[in-house]
Amino acid sequence: MNTIKKDLIYTTSLTEIHSEPVIVIDSDYKVTDINSKFLNIIKKKREDIIGTYCYNYFKDSERVKKNCAKLFEIGFFHDEELELVGHNEKDLLYNGFVYKNEKTKNSELVIIGRKIALEKKYDTKFQSFLESLPDAIIIVNHDGNIQSVNTQVEKLFGYNRNEIIGNPIALLMPSRFKESHHNHIQNYFANPKVRKMGEGMQLFAKHKDQTEFPVEISLSTIDSEEGLIVCASIRDVSQQKKIEKELKEAITKAENAVKSKQQFLTNMSHEIRTPMNSIIGFTKVILRTELTPKQKEYISAIKMSGDTLIVLINDILDLAKVDAGKMVFKKAPFKLALSISTILHLFETKIQEKNIELVVKYDQNIPEVLIGDAIRLHQIILNLVSNAVKFTFKGKITFGVRKLTEDDENISLEFSVCDTGIGIEADKIDQIFENFQQAHSQTSRIFGGTGLGLAIVKQLVEGQGGSVHVESELGKGSTFSFVLPFKKTYRTSIVVDDDIIEFIDNPTKNIKVLIVEDVELNQLLMKTILDDFGFEYDIAENGKIAIENLKKDNYDVVLMDLQMPVMNGFDATNFIRNTLKSSVPIIALSADVTSINVEKCLAAGMNDYISKPIDDNALYRKILTLIKKPKQRIEIESIENYEPKTQKCTDMGYLNKITKSNPKLMTEMINVYLDQTPILINFIKKSWLENDFDTLKSAVHKLIPSFTIVGIDKKYEEIARKIGDESTMAECKNWILELENICLQAIEELKMELNNLNN
């Protein structure tokens, strides 16, 4: 098979070399050169042909025009069956290609006739096709020998094709493969399943200089007259592999950086929280003792500073938890209006101190009960309202909730916090949701804070499929809004909290606790707290000693630290559950709140978990919950189900006096009591269950004036004034239950009075 390279410079003498007809034309399809064979066929002289249109000398002139156009478009055509005028040979094929005439500097077309046997027509067309492909193509016969290649193979491997053709495929492949290439080829022909796997194989090839390089090979079979042959398409993936390697290394570095960050935060959490546990714990203990006003002021300042530091730690750890993808969002029913009221009550004192106004706009079309993460919603609202209060010195703060969209199962709500505060500079708005960023350079020094609040808000909102927005004008105020989706439910009565902490009527005595703690200062703190509870206790310095104690003595509950020498809390719990077969309640204690969570502790066999610094009230309730069965289930809807006592608890004397027995005024005041009291009772119970003592005191304070108005005995007012005092926290649970009962009875009696007034 004749091969004519495109870079040859064709002259008149060169066209005469060919024994078959050759014609050269310009871009207008006019003849610029012609050989003798061509002239003999059409029986014309050279001077009569030069400058005339080439298609006049072919029987199918339209087909010639199309092929010439194809030449200028793609640079070649192959084996076209064209017939010259006056010529009847059917086995003459024409090939065309473009070349640049060095004399004229113009591109010209060369059309060459080629007389070949019919059985070679396929090979010529196929070889031309191979040359047009961008990948290196190798044709291998049934014996595994290379039958044909294209120019890309020469470029890729560095061989001349004459050095390749006839050699086994192993010439271009390294010897590292266990299976010989010949056997692989045989297997490929014989096994259809292997053929299906022949696409995108990652192998190694070998240059002429014996250096290896990665390639991607795709195999396919072709049915030729000689039988099945294999066509291997080879692509050099060295650059791709390099990029993949660099990307993998970058990912590994990033993962290691995240792990290092998480480990650092874990260590920081443990190291800071451990001493803070003692600092805050002992300040609480001291505050319960007799102090002078000045001493109490100083100790309270220490406690406040400790609480502030814990908030800082929690902000950093919350953000780390979100970054690590470990933030879990609960899906539980809750009452939105009640949740919002509870949150906003926290800011009541501060708002009054700053003499600003809080306006609440609540869309009444929102269902009473929704399904979502109430705790995370509280966290978002707390951050936004806290910022609004912090940066507003006059005017008002408007908190709004409105329904955006709703269907049978879902509802989307928009929450907004609008203030008349200092505002944010336009060029700082895009930065305020980034970690450790604040709108003003002196914000942290003047107002405090970590610059993490808004970053956490953004992560919490977007993590639940929502979005957050901000609009602000410097000196006029800001509006932060966020949109969150919730599930709908048809429930109208829900338990205050998923993990119900029940009130227990009987006094808790004769409770024995095993403290498993290795730090002496923490041991002293736990002893002090349990002394205050009136509980007995023993101390074990590690898990191994704790197991020995459990073998020889009985305990009502075990307080288990997690990081200890000799035997840690997890190993000790595993031994207690699986070897001792003991079901003694175990409460985990740890300062490491990033890597240790409730689920992990429960999976280890522990019953509950409390983080350091220890909240003594929460610890007290957790202990009582684990060692005694609940006797009363507190639900928000319990008011409707209450049956009053027979002895009357209200007296209308004071109400008659201040209203001068005006039925309209009396009716109005009784209605206000009936509306407000159930809400306040629910706030009191909920804030007690959540250790929210600021809201607890605020709600009780609002309840007290109503006792005088409706004539409830003075002793209940005295009980109410004691609730929330840290020195009487152990008795609060019974007092709250007593207040609820008397208020529920008063409600029923006042409903009867209201009926009498209406009649």
Side-chain angles (χ1 to χ4, degrees), residues 624-668:
L624 297 189
T625 301
L626 288 172
I627 65 176
K628 291 182 178 290
K629 292 185 178 180
K631 294 190 176 181
Q632 180 182 3
R633 185 177 178 85
I634 300 177
E635 296 190 10
I636 291 177
E637 304 298 333
S638 61
I639 291 175
E640 287 91 357
N641 303 321
Y642 177 76
E643 294 184 6
K645 299 176 182 178
T646 54
Q647 185 177 355
K648 194 172 182 181
C649 71
T650 57
D651 184 346
M652 295 294 100
Y654 181 80
L655 192 59
N656 276 305
K657 180 180 178 182
I658 61 173
T659 62
K660 295 184 172 57
S661 299
N662 184 323
K664 184 177 180 180
L665 288 177
M666 291 182 69
T667 298
E668 185 176 351

Side-chain angles (χ1 to χ4, degrees), residues 655-691:
L655 192 59
N656 276 305
K657 180 180 178 182
I658 61 173
T659 62
K660 295 184 172 57
S661 299
N662 184 323
K664 184 177 180 180
L665 288 177
M666 291 182 69
T667 298
E668 185 176 351
M669 295 192 74
I670 290 173
N671 278 326
V672 170
Y673 181 89
L674 294 177
D675 289 340
Q676 288 187 351
T677 302
I679 296 174
L680 291 173
I681 291 295
N682 285 329
F683 277 151
I684 291 170
K685 292 192 299 181
K686 182 173 173 57
S687 56
W688 168 258
L689 294 176
E690 295 180 349
N691 297 320

Side-chain angles (χ1 to χ4, degrees), residues 239-272:
Q239 187 63 24
Q240 178 183 330
K241 290 294 182 182
K242 181 182 177 183
I243 294 172
E244 288 177 358
K245 182 181 178 182
E246 291 174 352
L247 180 60
K248 187 175 181 179
E249 290 174 352
I251 292 173
T252 301
K253 288 180 180 178
E255 289 174 347
N256 290 337
V258 171
K259 288 178 183 178
S260 299
K261 172 185 170 185
Q262 292 299 315
Q263 188 60 47
F264 168 75
L265 290 172
T266 297
N267 294 340
M268 182 192 73
S269 168
H270 187 272
E271 295 302 322
I272 296 179

